[in-house]
Amino acid sequence: DAGVIQSPRHEVTEMGQEVTLRCKPISGHNSLFWYRQTMMRGLELLIYFNNNVPIDDSGMPEDRFSAKMPNASFSTLKIQPSEPRDSAVYFCASSFTGGQNIQYFGAGTRLSVL
Amino acid sequence: AQTVTQSQPEMSVQEAETVTLSCTYDTSESNYYLFWYKQPPSRQMILVIRQEAYKQQNATENRFSVNFQKAAKSFSLKISDSQLGDTAMYFCAFMTHAGNMLTFGGGTRLMVKP
């Protein structure tokens, strides 16, 4: 299996622009997670989906952030408009709920908002 | 809410020696999972080891083993015969048995010296 695939690997944008991060989970997994990693706050869960349905979005920082999972093999995290404080590494992870509950992570997207 | 604390921000060890990374957590749950993840400079999050709280036997994966002390809410990671490739950030993480979300500690940066 190819593992969790995230794109792009790096993203540099200017303040005010829309940013879309993409994730393809491992085939057969039914849960998907978006995390943000910063030096100040460490690893934070933003949102998680189960069977394509958002279950907990309490970690989404504000309305500028939105996430969708239109099908079992694709999810997006969108920031509109972006701000410099959104600069971070964003990880996507997937797992099979009911199994060992092990979350497998993608390689992350490093976002820089100038 | 659960909290995870890693009290050692940085550690170093000589190649081939043994090192132990500390982790404590706080929860009122009786059944849960604990994990150690490794994040090398490539930033990929890699699962090192997993422990189920109801199992008394400590988990082991090759050179990696844990000392799980449920009453003390302690979950330390021992790395034997340290290798240069073990240089990375190590994160301890907690998941409730009923839930699906990981709570991470702040991480320990491990440097293996030749």
Side-chain angles (χ1 to χ4, degrees):
Chain A
D1 198 317
V4 177
I5 300 172
Q6 290 186 247
S7 63
R9 186 103 163 105
H10 305 277
E11 177 79 32
V12 180
T13 191
E14 292 188 348
M15 182 174 62
Q17 297 297 307
E18 177 179 297
V19 175
T20 300
L21 310 182
R22 297 172 174 79
C23 176
K24 176 179 168 56
I26 292 173
S27 177
H29 283 185
N30 58 0
S31 292
L32 183 139
F33 308 81
W34 283 101
Y35 291 89
R36 179 171 67 177
Q37 185 179 33
T38 61
M39 288 293 292
M40 291 297 294
R41 301 175 66 90
L43 275 157
E44 305 173 279
L45 177 67
L46 299 177
I47 186 170
Y48 100 86
F49 295 84
N50 185 252
N51 294 324
N52 312 338
V53 176
I55 302 300
D56 190 321
D57 65 354
S58 59
M60 296 286 262
E62 48 198 277
D63 292 345
R64 296 185 298 105
F65 286 70
S66 62
K68 293 182 180 180
M69 191 164 187
N71 57 61
S73 58
F74 184 65
S75 176
T76 59
L77 178 67
K78 185 177 294 185
I79 308 172
Q80 166 63 17
S82 57
E83 296 182 4
R85 60 194 169 117
D86 301 330
S87 297
V89 179
Y90 291 83
F91 286 101
C92 175
S94 71
S95 71
F96 178 69
T97 306
Q100 292 191 323
N101 279 359
I102 295 173
Q103 292 186 20
Y104 295 90
F105 284 73
T109 295
R110 180 177 294 281
L111 173 65
S112 298
V113 183
L114 306 178
Chain B
Q2 288 77 28
T3 59
V4 179
T5 302
Q6 295 179 246
S7 59
Q8 306 149 315
E10 294 187 358
M11 295 189 72
S12 64
V13 63
Q14 291 297 131
E15 196 176 7
E17 293 188 347
T18 296
V19 64
T20 299
L21 309 183
S22 301
C23 173
T24 59
Y25 57 94
D26 188 23
T27 184
S28 58
E29 303 283 333
S30 60
N31 201 7
Y32 46 86
Y33 304 101
L34 294 161
F35 303 84
W36 279 97
Y37 279 87
K38 167 185 176 181
Q39 186 178 37
S42 66
R43 84 167 179 247
Q44 177 79 52
M45 293 286 287
I46 302 165
L47 177 70
V48 175
I49 204 162
R50 170 183 177 272
Q51 174 80 42
E52 299 181 43
Y54 67 87
K55 289 187 176 179
Q56 293 185 346
Q57 186 173 8
N58 289 323
T60 300
E61 288 289 343
N62 301 314
R63 297 182 296 107
F64 298 88
S65 61
V66 298
N67 183 5
F68 173 48
Q69 301 289 330
K70 191 172 184 179
K73 295 180 181 175
S74 171
F75 183 61
S76 60
L77 175 70
K78 185 172 82 171
I79 306 174
S80 303
D81 185 25
S82 298
Q83 301 176 358
L84 296 178
D86 296 333
T87 292
M89 282 288 288
Y90 286 82
F91 292 95
C92 178
F94 174 99
M95 178 191 292
T96 62
H97 185 263
N100 205 10
M101 298 179 290
L102 284 170
T103 300
F104 285 92
T108 296
R109 185 178 302 279
L110 176 67
M111 173 73 72
V112 180
K113 298 180 178 179

